[in-house]
Amino acid sequence: PDPLDMPSFNLPEDRELPVGEPGAAVVPEPGPALPGELELQAINVDRRKDGAAINLTLAGAPTRVAHYTLEEPGRIVMDMFGDSSKRAKVEFIKVMDPLVRRVRVAHHAGRMRLVLDLTTSDVPAYDLVTRGGTVTLSLGAARPEATTTTEH
């Protein structure tokens, strides 16, 4: 079983990464995706009247993105398929936002899994758009249901 399938309330908080270490809460500004192994480079949350846009900047462009939601607690799970090798350590990235508590990142052979741990039990409707090495989730009441768009 994937360790990221566990509800976040079952995970110890002391595994959070301190600021300044790889994958820490302070991440560089979004930039162009580089070819190579999938790696989360930056998280940018843009608050809007009707919700939020979450931009995930990756090193390496995924060949495919699959996603689904889990409730109680609310989570959005994204599998980014592409150049990735298995790592034992799961990264925890705190996010300063009223809706998203943190992002967990796990690397597997052929995919990288990202889990957005939400502060709510229910997941709001969202759109997911992939453009090269950038994945954007638009969350909020204006989104009727989960949808996916891939642009190259």
Side-chain angles (χ1 to χ4, degrees):
D2 192 320
L4 293 186
D5 286 337
M6 295 172 44
S8 60
F9 56 79
N10 289 339
L11 296 170
E13 290 297 323
D14 61 354
R15 292 178 63 193
E16 300 284 346
L17 292 175
V19 173
E21 291 198 15
V26 177
V27 291
E29 288 298 313
L34 301 173
E37 191 163 326
L38 291 173
E39 190 73 44
L40 181 60
Q41 287 187 318
I43 302 168
N44 183 15
V45 181
D46 179 19
R47 297 304 288 156
R48 299 177 179 175
K49 250 190 321 191
D50 63 342
I54 301 170
N55 295 300
L56 306 168
T57 303
L58 310 173
T63 56
R64 181 171 68 93
V65 178
H67 58 97
Y68 60 92
T69 62
L70 298 169
E71 295 180 345
E72 297 185 20
R75 290 160 281 164
I76 299 174
V77 180
M78 295 169 285
D79 286 325
M80 317 274 177
F81 294 90
D83 186 10
S84 181
S85 54
K86 186 174 182 169
R87 297 183 197 166
K89 185 176 179 182
V90 174
E91 295 177 72
F92 294 78
I93 304 167
K94 280 193 174 190
V95 178
M96 301 303 286
D97 184 75
L99 180 61
V100 181
R101 195 176 81 152
R102 68 179 170 191
V103 176
R104 294 180 277 153
V105 183
H107 293 269
H108 304 276
R111 73 180 163 100
M112 175 177 68
R113 174 167 282 183
L114 278 70
V115 177
L116 275 67
D117 289 322
L118 306 178
T119 58
T120 62
S121 293
D122 298 322
V123 178
Y126 67 94
D127 284 335
L128 187 142
V129 176
T130 304
R131 286 188 187 98
T134 303
V135 176
T136 303
L137 286 113
S138 298
L139 300 109
R143 313 297 176 260
E145 57 188 50
T147 60
T148 303
T149 304
T150 302
E151 298 178 8
H152 298 282

